[in-house]
Amino acid sequence: MPAQSKAQQKAAGAALSAKRGDTPKSKLRGASKEMVDAMSEKQLEEFASTKRKGKPQLVSH
């Protein structure tokens, strides 16, 4: 499932970096902090690799 907004894509990228050990988990904030524990590396890759062109900055629920 691809990311639905630019913010979601960026958060997934940060969480993926932490999951791989490139960034300390203590540096994560907001949604990325939850994503790192809740999602697999493969799921995070799918979200992070989503193209940002044409995506809204935020998705309102």
Side-chain angles (χ1 to χ4, degrees):
M1 181 173 146
Q4 296 181 355
S5 69
K6 292 177 185 180
Q8 197 176 46
Q9 187 266 344
K10 288 171 69 175
L16 181 60
S17 177
K19 186 157 292 263
R20 290 180 173 166
D22 298 332
T23 304
K25 285 187 179 182
S26 61
K27 296 270 184 187
L28 297 179
R29 299 183 326 188
S32 59
K33 203 173 213 176
E34 295 173 18
M35 289 174 128
V36 74
D37 294 323
M39 299 175 76
S40 71
E41 189 171 332
K42 184 173 186 213
Q43 289 173 314
L44 289 170
E45 282 177 5
E46 287 178 25
F47 269 68
S49 66
T50 302
K51 300 289 183 228
R52 285 196 225 177
K53 189 173 185 176
K55 298 280 183 203
Q57 184 61 36
L58 294 173
V59 174
S60 58
H61 294 273

